Structure formats: structure tokens, C-alpha cells
Amino acid sequence: MSGAGATDTRRQRPLGVFGGTFDPVHLGHLSVAWEAAELLDAEVRLIPTNVPPHRPPPMASADERVAMLRVALRGQDRLTLDTRELERSGPSYTVDTLAELRAELGQRALVLLVGADMFAQLPAWDRWHELFDLAHVGVLSRPGVGAQLPPVLEQELQARRLADPGALAQLPAGRIVQLEVTPLEISATRIRALLAAGRDPRYLLPAGLFQDRALLRAYRA
Ligand code: ATP
């Protein structure tokens, strides 16, 4: 390839990473990840979490969650699956995942995508200040999540806020952007409850998840 160098590195599309338990993956996840990819002109990787440090363990096994994600992501190549956290033993700390990715990406912009509910909890995350040395943070609007942030986080937001999501590609890390995505009031908690009650929430889930009954086995009563 000709002309490789610092200029080309700056022009690379950002990489967005969207972590979660995906227990199960639902249309809220896919829709906001897709819109974030468009707003940032990025490719986005969905990264299922192994043992979430801040919450109870998922109902579906890691293999089941990966199987659902594979089905959900079929037919497009803008959203991809990255199973690195499931391959590590012990709890998944986002900061470790971002450090690994940063080592692979050089100066390419890396954007940690989090829903507004997760963002408000950021100060509880392991070594949370280090996140900004490694990545930008893209905050996805989520219905029902208020604007109130802990004061330490509000300070970070004031210092790091960037209005134009398209400008993130120029820097590897360190800024916060708000990504106004279509509000979809869908949660995995609600879907698990519906399935446990014998209901059929097929239009809250990616179509393929209903074609193979075994995929949702972990949630059915
Ligand atoms: P649960 O109900 O089990 O807590 P969840 O639906 O919130 O699950 P997670 O896998 O915990 O899904 O979330 C992964 C990421 O997706 C988090 O950053 C979360 O804020 C975000 N997210 C999930 N659903 C939505 C949604 N409908 N709109 C915006 N962000 C969402």
C-alpha cells in the first residue's frame, strides 16, 4: 500500500465497542449500536461480558449468549462480534479490554459506547479515570434515564465534551460525545420476564432468535 503514515492513520474510521451482558441481545442494542456506527462513521463491535463485576450473573451461558449474538448479527458487516472477554478468565474489566484494543489499534480512534444508564454508573467502574486515556466515550440516549449525574462525572463531562461526533476520528481517546439515538424502551430484563411468563416477545428481539427455539431456552419457564 502506498502513502501509509500519520495522515492515513488519522483518516481511519473509529472503532466503536459496545459491551454488555446481552442476556439476551435485543432490538434496542442493535438499533442503538447501528445508529452509533452511522453517527460516528465507525465499525462497531459488540463485546459480551464474562462475569459482570457490578451485577448478578447472566441467566444464559456464555455460549448461549454468543449463539444469539451470531444469529442477531447475520446479514450485515457493520456490527461485528468480539468474544475476547469470554476468553479471559475472571471478571471482565472494561479498562483491560480497552488497553488490549489500544495496543492493537495504534492511534486509531476508539470509542466506548455506553447507554446513558451505564454512563451514570461509570465512577463505580474499576480504574474508571484510565478509560479516558484509552478511548473516547459515546453516551447513547436511553428512555427513562434522567440527566442527573454524580458530580465527579459531571466535571469530566464538562471538561471532555465534544459536540460533533464526526470529529472524534481526529483523536485516539479522551473526549465524551452524546449520541442522540432513536429512543427504544426495550430492556433484556423485560424480555426475560416476558419469556419466563410464557409470553412471546418476538418483535422486541432479532427475528432469527425465534426461528430456533433452543436459542431462548435459558429464559423459558
Ligand atoms: P438488563 O435489562 O439485563 O440490565 P440491558 O437491556 O440494559 O440488560 P445490557 O446487556 O445490560 O442490556 O446493556 C448493554 C449496553 O446496552 C448498556 O450500555 C446499556 O445501557 C445499553 N442499552 C441496552 N438497551 C438499550 C436501549 N434500549 N437503549 C439504549 N441503550 C441500551
Side-chain angles (χ1 to χ4, degrees):
M1 216 193 290
S2 67
T7 315
D8 285 355
T9 306
R10 279 203 300 276
R11 267 196 238 114
Q12 270 189 311
R13 296 164 86 202
L15 177 68
V17 291
F18 188 39
T21 38
F22 304 112
D23 185 31
V25 60
H26 55 68
L27 291 184
H29 295 129
L30 296 181
S31 178
V32 298
W34 184 269
E35 287 196 26
E38 289 192 316
L39 289 168
L40 296 167
D41 189 24
E43 71 179 90
V44 169
R45 290 192 202 166
L46 274 60
I47 305 191
T49 316
N50 191 6
V51 183
H54 312 301
R55 30 186 309 175
M59 280 184 76
S61 68
D63 286 349
E64 287 170 321
R65 289 181 292 129
V66 167
M68 291 186 280
L69 279 159
R70 284 196 203 289
V71 168
L73 297 176
R74 240 183 238 153
Q76 52 76 47
D77 58 12
R78 191 157 205 179
L79 305 181
T80 56
L81 176 64
D82 185 330
T83 57
R84 70 181 63 223
E85 290 198 357
L86 301 177
E87 284 143 26
R88 271 203 309 256
S89 57
S92 315
Y93 289 112
T94 301
V95 67
D96 296 330
T97 303
L98 295 179
E100 254 182 55
L101 286 163
R102 173 51 64 210
E104 293 165 18
L105 294 176
Q107 291 300 297
R108 183 174 168 193
L110 177 61
V111 188
L112 173 67
L113 299 169
V114 289
D117 55 322
M118 283 282 176
F119 181 66
Q121 295 167 30
L122 213 65
W125 292 18
D126 197 53
R127 290 164 282 153
W128 72 281
H129 268 116
E130 290 175 34
L131 298 173
F132 298 106
D133 299 332
L134 299 164
H136 303 292
V137 176
V139 184
L140 305 159
S141 49
R142 189 168 185 182
V145 180
Q148 193 65 31
L149 292 175
V152 277
L153 194 55
E154 189 60 50
Q155 268 171 25
E156 291 293 336
L157 183 59
Q158 294 310 326
R160 299 179 180 278
R161 194 199 298 264
L162 189 70
D164 174 14
L168 279 193
Q170 307 298 322
L171 290 167
R175 309 304 294 263
I176 301 174
V177 281
Q178 312 266 5
L179 299 168
E180 294 306 325
V181 293
T182 306
L184 285 175
E185 204 164 350
I186 303 175
S187 73
T189 302
R190 172 82 182 145
I191 290 167
R192 290 193 299 272
L194 289 170
L195 287 165
R199 299 266 302 273
D200 175 11
R202 66 178 53 219
Y203 297 116
L204 303 180
L205 288 165
L209 266 58
F210 276 93
Q211 277 151 20
D212 177 356
R213 273 192 71 80
L215 282 174
L216 294 169
R217 187 177 36 201
Y219 312 109
R220 290 207 164 95

